[in-house]
Amino acid sequence: MKTRRDVFQAIADPTRRAIIMLLTVGALTPNAIAEHFNSSRQAVSKHLQILTECEIVQQEQLGREIHYHLNADKMKDIEKWLQQFKQLLSKRFNQLDDVLEQLKINRK
C-alpha cells in the first residue's frame, strides 16, 4: 500500500532538497544521485521513495534502469504557500519604510 505524503514532508529534509536541486538539471538514476552524497544507495532510495510519494519526482523505466525526474508542476503547491508569506512580508516592509521615513522627517 502506497503511503501518501505531502510536499512539505519532502522538502523538510536537506538531503531531499538537495536531490530536488540535482533533478532540476535533468533525469538521473538512483546510483547517479547517490554519488553526490555520503550515504548509502539504500538511504538515497528511501529519500526518492518519499519524493515519489509526494509526486515531486516521477519514475521512468528505461530498459533496466529507473530514471527520476522532477515534476515541476507539484512544486507550484510550495510556491503558492510561500506566496502568502511574501505578500505579508512585503506589506510589513512597506510599513517599516513608512515609519523610517516619518522618523527622518521628524529629525529634521
Side-chain angles (χ1 to χ4, degrees), residues 58-94:
Q58 296 174 328
Q59 299 177 4
E60 183 180 4
Q61 185 82 34
L62 295 173
R64 298 175 81 188
E65 293 185 331
I66 296 174
H67 290 255
Y68 288 88
H69 57 91
L70 188 63
N71 178 8
D73 289 337
K74 194 64 176 178
M75 299 298 288
K76 290 179 184 177
D77 291 346
I78 299 166
E79 182 181 11
K80 279 194 283 184
W81 185 77
L82 287 173
Q83 187 61 34
Q84 301 169 49
F85 295 99
K86 288 179 185 178
Q87 291 171 351
L88 177 65
L89 288 174
S90 177
K91 181 180 175 183
R92 293 211 174 146
F93 280 126
N94 288 337

Side-chain angles (χ1 to χ4, degrees), residues 46-60:
K46 180 64 178 169
H47 288 298
L48 287 168
Q49 177 187 355
I50 292 168
L51 291 168
T52 301
E53 289 173 4
C54 297
E55 299 175 350
I56 290 179
V57 300
Q58 296 174 328
Q59 299 177 4
E60 183 180 4

